[in-house]
Amino acid sequence: MKKSGAHILIECLQAEGVDTIFGYPGGQVLPIYDALYDADLRHILTRHEQGAAHAADGYARASGRPGVCLATSGPGATNLVTGIANAYMDSVPMVAITGQVPTSLLGRDSFQEADITGITLPITKHNYIVKDISELARTIREAFYIATTGRPGPVLIDIPKDVSAGQAYHEDPGPLYLPGYSPRLEPDTAQVARAVRAIEESERPVIYAGGGVISGLAHGELLRLAELLLAPVSTTLMGLGGFPGDHPLSVGMLGMHGSKYANYAICDCDLLIGVGVRFDDRVTGKLDEFAPGATVIHVDIDPAEIGKNVGVDIPVVGDVRTALQRILEKLQPRLATRWRDTILNWKKEYPIEFEANGRIKPQEVIREIYNVTGGNARITTEVGQHQMWAAQYYTYTRPRTFISSGGLGTMGFGLPAAIGVQVACPEETVIDIAGDGSIQMNIQEMQTAVNYKLPVKVAVMNNGYLGMVRQWQELFYNRRYSYTELQNPDFVKLAEAYGAAGIRVTKKSEVRPALEEALRIPGPVMIDFHIEREENVLPMVPPGEPINKMLG
Amino acid sequence: MRHTLAVMVENNPGVLARVAGLFSRRGYNIDSLAVGRTENPEVSRMTIVVEGDQRVLEQVTKQLHKLVDVIKISDVTTERYVDRELVMIKVSATPSQRGEIMQIADIFRARIVDLGAKSITLECTGNDGKINAFEESLRSYGIKELVRTGKIAMLRGIRYTGVQAQESE
Ligand SMILES: Cc1ncc(C[n+]2csc(CCOP(=O)(O)OP(=O)(O)O)c2C)c(N)n1
Ligand SMILES: [Mg+2]
């Protein structure tokens, strides 16, 4: 029997194991929405396409399965762009589906036509426009395969309306033929042997672990390696949770707002083992003084990351988990006991700290969130100071529990991402640690949470400022607070207007009770914490400085 | 240093934009780029001349490999190869100057492809050096128009960089 392109699309999504998609309708996706009307596929209607993209992203990060979002042509598609770029920068598996004007109208500046494959060329792992219905099933299979294998990333499929409305037999496309795509999984044995030797010879090893550990399911191997060597492990923002933050060998985050002891360890080590990382400038600081005395091993699935920013002595290209297993099979380490003791001393000597006073300190709020949830929540964040405090003061012990926009730094990510996380993990507590600026970038998604009874909690660190920018103005622009002070709406009333609960907290003593109450309320809650207004994120490496030259 | 890359790509729409976009966004300099079909109808070959040191070249190659449509990349500069480019040049020429110009054409084994009342159009193939010299020797007559195809290259001997050949043997 012939079926519409839209039906074929839905069958293909189901065949890929998709249970939920996040989307927003419009003219050029009418056939798809018509098919969704009685399809056995959950669709979550967000209030903005950017929300749909971030929700799909959050869903993917929390579950490890590809997130799917859907939007109409033109403005719907362009509204996805930030979300796609965000997923691209953080290597999140995602399939974005857009409607397009019918093929006969392509290229004529038709109503709501935007060249979305052209626009997303640099921010997708790959993209397609399906001009022939007979290509649809194969394209979808390829898209999911590419999005989820190798270094994951977003793939976009643009579907003109005549293709989704057209009729065809849904035939199995058979095995994929992608001569230009074959991610390397098994690392080179010679490089593994060199890595093993370097590790065995090292006296002061440090492991620098990133998001690749989490997406590559390598946290178990990472833990074994660290314990075998007694090597300190520092994670990037993306790597938080990839190594238990409460482990004695954990030295927390490194880089611009990393711990002093992590940055000192990097600067003093004789061997740096980078695992699933990309030597981002927020991590390395001044490049030529990053791990100056160290032999560098770089384990990553993407060969293009090797030597992109930092010279690498021993590249181990392959699936991170497989690569660590190969190394562990051969390794006869010596314990770096003295080095470990040095690190433990630094941890005592230079703790991450803040000065408490009578007012509500954001760091204390984050600690309370940790205490009240027993560290068992899934945390998402927006972008700014609150994001860094969420990274520093909540201890992440499991992968996929800290979900934050790392590479792109997208304000407005946290709430829609939390919605995606809650969909993926319906039984768990999901908290968006937000800023008063960021939350207003996608606040309309409160309505989505309310409509779908997704009990996400939004903890707004309300400082009345675009705090992170204000901090830079304070430190590097003579306190000229140019357009960073915010006049805010009443967040409690706003939450209530959406049908959620709102709690305002202006006293220190109210912090914990408010959090407890929020967790008791079965639906979504927004808590408006009036925090110390001009608190800074410390320590901090000023831009362009080496990472051991820290303020604070 | 200049490298000549033979890049085999799937014949998909948009592949040229993907490759060109990659070069501009990552700040790599393309000296020339020539695209055409090959012995395999599903595969096109791009010959890209790129300027840069070893590090740049390594990044270019790795980033190109990340494009799903790119099947194979060979740096022919590292081996023995033949390269050719085609140029067409239109010069001003009064009937009395035609003789001289035809002599120059002879020396470079160029051909006359069009003759007008006040102009003459020549075609010449060769490597970089030859084409440059040819252009130089015509300059004094007044070059009205000049177009070069960009370089194409092939390995010498039995070695090849093609895609289909590889599979069928
Ligand atoms: C979409 C977007 N626009 C601008 C920025 C630049 N930016 C980075 S942090 C920040 C301030 C965020 O303010 P807020 O959400 O209140 O967080 P705070 O730093 O005060 O905790 C801004 C404007 C950004 N990261 N994303
Ligand atoms: Mg703020």
Side-chain angles (χ1 to χ4, degrees), chain A residues 382-387 389 408-411 434-439 441 461 463 465-469 486:
Chain A
E382 310 288 339
V383 170
Q385 293 182 310
H386 61 278
Q387 176 190 32
W389 289 317
L408 198 66
T410 311
M411 291 170 70
D436 49 331
S438 299
I439 192 62
M441 286 214 173
M461 302 296 127
N463 52 11
Y465 280 114
L466 299 171
M468 185 57 96
V469 183
L486 292 175

Short mmCIF file of all heavy atoms in Angstrom, two decimals, chain A residues 382-387 389 408-411 434-439 441 461 463 465-469 486, ligand 1:
data_model
loop_
_atom_site.label_atom_id
_atom_site.label_comp_id
_atom_site.label_asym_id
_atom_site.label_seq_id
_atom_site.Cartn_x
_atom_site.Cartn_y
_atom_site.Cartn_z
N GLU A 382 21.32 27.63 32.90
CA GLU A 382 21.38 28.65 31.87
C GLU A 382 22.86 29.03 31.74
O GLU A 382 23.72 28.21 32.07
CB GLU A 382 20.50 29.84 32.28
CG GLU A 382 19.09 29.46 32.69
CD GLU A 382 18.19 29.02 31.53
OE1 GLU A 382 18.49 29.38 30.38
OE2 GLU A 382 17.18 28.35 31.77
N VAL A 383 23.14 30.24 31.31
CA VAL A 383 24.53 30.62 31.12
C VAL A 383 24.84 31.91 31.86
O VAL A 383 24.11 32.89 31.77
CB VAL A 383 24.86 30.77 29.62
CG1 VAL A 383 26.23 31.41 29.41
CG2 VAL A 383 24.82 29.40 28.96
N GLY A 384 25.93 31.88 32.60
CA GLY A 384 26.34 33.06 33.36
C GLY A 384 27.00 32.63 34.66
O GLY A 384 27.49 31.50 34.78
N GLN A 385 26.99 33.53 35.63
CA GLN A 385 27.63 33.23 36.91
C GLN A 385 26.99 32.02 37.58
O GLN A 385 27.68 31.14 38.10
CB GLN A 385 27.49 34.44 37.84
CG GLN A 385 28.28 35.65 37.39
CD GLN A 385 28.13 36.79 38.38
OE1 GLN A 385 27.02 37.16 38.77
NE2 GLN A 385 29.24 37.37 38.79
N HIS A 386 25.65 32.00 37.57
CA HIS A 386 24.94 30.90 38.23
C HIS A 386 25.37 29.55 37.67
O HIS A 386 25.43 28.55 38.38
CB HIS A 386 23.43 31.09 38.06
CG HIS A 386 23.02 31.08 36.62
ND1 HIS A 386 23.12 32.19 35.81
CD2 HIS A 386 22.59 30.07 35.83
CE1 HIS A 386 22.74 31.86 34.60
NE2 HIS A 386 22.43 30.59 34.58
N GLN A 387 25.67 29.52 36.38
CA GLN A 387 26.11 28.28 35.72
C GLN A 387 27.44 27.82 36.32
O GLN A 387 27.64 26.63 36.62
CB GLN A 387 26.27 28.56 34.22
CG GLN A 387 26.83 27.41 33.40
CD GLN A 387 27.18 27.85 31.98
OE1 GLN A 387 27.58 29.00 31.75
NE2 GLN A 387 27.04 26.96 31.02
N TRP A 389 28.65 28.69 39.30
CA TRP A 389 28.44 28.26 40.69
C TRP A 389 27.81 26.87 40.72
O TRP A 389 28.15 26.05 41.58
CB TRP A 389 27.56 29.28 41.42
CG TRP A 389 28.27 30.58 41.69
CD1 TRP A 389 29.55 30.71 42.14
CD2 TRP A 389 27.76 31.90 41.51
NE1 TRP A 389 29.87 32.04 42.27
CE2 TRP A 389 28.78 32.80 41.89
CE3 TRP A 389 26.54 32.43 41.09
CZ2 TRP A 389 28.63 34.19 41.83
CZ3 TRP A 389 26.37 33.81 41.05
CH2 TRP A 389 27.42 34.68 41.42
N LEU A 408 28.68 26.64 23.18
CA LEU A 408 28.05 27.85 22.62
C LEU A 408 27.70 28.85 23.72
O LEU A 408 27.64 30.04 23.46
CB LEU A 408 26.80 27.47 21.82
CG LEU A 408 26.28 28.53 20.84
CD1 LEU A 408 27.27 28.76 19.71
CD2 LEU A 408 24.91 28.16 20.28
N GLY A 409 27.51 28.37 24.94
CA GLY A 409 27.14 29.27 26.03
C GLY A 409 25.83 29.97 25.76
O GLY A 409 25.76 31.20 25.73
N THR A 410 24.77 29.19 25.61
CA THR A 410 23.49 29.72 25.17
C THR A 410 22.59 30.07 26.34
O THR A 410 22.04 29.18 27.00
CB THR A 410 22.76 28.67 24.30
OG1 THR A 410 23.67 28.17 23.32
CG2 THR A 410 21.55 29.28 23.62
N MET A 411 22.42 31.35 26.61
CA MET A 411 21.40 31.76 27.58
C MET A 411 20.05 31.29 27.06
O MET A 411 19.78 31.36 25.86
CB MET A 411 21.36 33.28 27.73
CG MET A 411 22.57 33.90 28.40
SD MET A 411 22.54 35.71 28.26
CE MET A 411 21.18 36.13 29.36
N ALA A 434 19.06 28.79 37.21
CA ALA A 434 18.90 29.83 36.20
C ALA A 434 19.40 31.17 36.71
O ALA A 434 19.58 31.39 37.90
CB ALA A 434 17.43 29.94 35.81
N GLY A 435 19.63 32.07 35.75
CA GLY A 435 19.90 33.47 36.08
C GLY A 435 18.66 34.28 35.73
O GLY A 435 17.82 33.85 34.94
N ASP A 436 18.55 35.45 36.34
CA ASP A 436 17.36 36.27 36.08
C ASP A 436 17.36 36.79 34.64
O ASP A 436 16.30 37.04 34.06
CB ASP A 436 17.26 37.43 37.08
CG ASP A 436 18.56 38.21 37.23
OD1 ASP A 436 19.64 37.63 37.03
OD2 ASP A 436 18.50 39.42 37.55
N GLY A 437 18.54 36.92 34.04
CA GLY A 437 18.59 37.32 32.63
C GLY A 437 18.24 36.16 31.72
O GLY A 437 17.32 36.23 30.91
N SER A 438 18.96 35.06 31.88
CA SER A 438 18.80 33.92 31.00
C SER A 438 17.38 33.36 30.98
O SER A 438 16.87 32.99 29.93
CB SER A 438 19.73 32.78 31.43
OG SER A 438 21.07 33.16 31.37
N ILE A 439 16.77 33.31 32.15
CA ILE A 439 15.47 32.63 32.22
C ILE A 439 14.45 33.34 31.33
O ILE A 439 13.54 32.72 30.80
CB ILE A 439 14.96 32.53 33.69
CG1 ILE A 439 13.77 31.56 33.78
CG2 ILE A 439 14.57 33.89 34.25
CD1 ILE A 439 14.07 30.15 33.38
N MET A 441 14.92 34.39 28.47
CA MET A 441 15.12 34.13 27.04
C MET A 441 14.25 33.00 26.51
O MET A 441 14.02 32.90 25.32
CB MET A 441 16.59 33.82 26.76
CG MET A 441 17.43 35.07 26.84
SD MET A 441 18.77 35.04 25.68
CE MET A 441 19.40 36.71 25.87
N MET A 461 18.63 32.48 40.24
CA MET A 461 19.60 33.21 41.05
C MET A 461 19.46 34.68 40.64
O MET A 461 20.11 35.14 39.68
CB MET A 461 21.03 32.73 40.78
CG MET A 461 21.27 31.26 41.03
SD MET A 461 21.07 30.80 42.75
CE MET A 461 19.91 29.48 42.56
N ASN A 463 20.05 38.25 40.70
CA ASN A 463 20.97 39.29 41.18
C ASN A 463 20.69 40.64 40.52
O ASN A 463 21.45 41.59 40.71
CB ASN A 463 22.44 38.86 40.98
CG ASN A 463 22.71 38.41 39.55
OD1 ASN A 463 21.87 38.61 38.66
ND2 ASN A 463 23.86 37.81 39.33
N TYR A 465 21.18 41.49 37.67
CA TYR A 465 22.24 41.82 36.71
C TYR A 465 22.41 40.71 35.69
O TYR A 465 22.11 39.54 35.98
CB TYR A 465 23.59 41.95 37.42
CG TYR A 465 23.84 43.26 38.12
CD1 TYR A 465 23.96 43.29 39.50
CD2 TYR A 465 23.97 44.44 37.40
CE1 TYR A 465 24.21 44.48 40.16
CE2 TYR A 465 24.22 45.64 38.06
CZ TYR A 465 24.34 45.66 39.43
OH TYR A 465 24.58 46.85 40.08
N LEU A 466 22.93 41.07 34.55
CA LEU A 466 23.57 40.09 33.67
C LEU A 466 24.93 39.89 34.32
O LEU A 466 25.93 40.49 33.96
CB LEU A 466 23.67 40.64 32.25
CG LEU A 466 22.30 40.94 31.62
CD1 LEU A 466 22.45 41.69 30.29
CD2 LEU A 466 21.53 39.63 31.41
N GLY A 467 24.91 39.06 35.35
CA GLY A 467 25.99 39.06 36.32
C GLY A 467 27.36 38.76 35.74
O GLY A 467 28.36 39.38 36.12
N MET A 468 27.43 37.80 34.86
CA MET A 468 28.75 37.44 34.34
C MET A 468 29.36 38.58 33.53
O MET A 468 30.56 38.84 33.62
CB MET A 468 28.64 36.17 33.47
CG MET A 468 29.97 35.63 33.00
SD MET A 468 31.09 35.28 34.37
CE MET A 468 30.82 33.53 34.60
N VAL A 469 28.51 39.27 32.80
CA VAL A 469 29.02 40.40 32.03
C VAL A 469 29.39 41.53 32.99
O VAL A 469 30.43 42.19 32.84
CB VAL A 469 27.99 40.86 30.98
CG1 VAL A 469 28.55 41.99 30.14
CG2 VAL A 469 27.57 39.69 30.09
N LEU A 486 19.44 44.82 35.38
CA LEU A 486 18.16 44.34 34.87
C LEU A 486 17.01 44.84 35.71
O LEU A 486 17.08 44.83 36.94
CB LEU A 486 18.12 42.81 34.87
CG LEU A 486 19.03 42.07 33.91
CD1 LEU A 486 18.92 40.56 34.17
CD2 LEU A 486 18.67 42.38 32.47
C1 LIG C 1 22.01 34.21 23.97
C2 LIG C 1 23.11 34.87 24.70
N1 LIG C 1 23.23 36.21 24.67
C3 LIG C 1 24.23 36.82 25.33
C4 LIG C 1 25.15 36.10 26.04
C5 LIG C 1 26.28 36.79 26.78
N2 LIG C 1 26.16 36.56 28.23
C6 LIG C 1 26.89 35.59 28.85
S1 LIG C 1 26.53 35.49 30.47
C7 LIG C 1 25.42 36.74 30.37
C8 LIG C 1 24.68 37.22 31.60
C9 LIG C 1 23.69 36.23 32.07
O1 LIG C 1 22.89 36.84 33.05
P1 LIG C 1 22.02 35.98 34.03
O2 LIG C 1 21.24 34.98 33.28
O3 LIG C 1 21.25 36.89 34.90
O4 LIG C 1 23.10 35.16 34.84
P2 LIG C 1 24.14 35.67 35.96
O5 LIG C 1 25.45 35.81 35.29
O6 LIG C 1 23.63 36.95 36.51
O7 LIG C 1 24.16 34.55 36.95
C10 LIG C 1 25.35 37.24 29.08
C11 LIG C 1 24.51 38.38 28.66
C12 LIG C 1 24.99 34.69 26.02
N3 LIG C 1 25.84 33.88 26.65
N4 LIG C 1 23.96 34.11 25.38
#
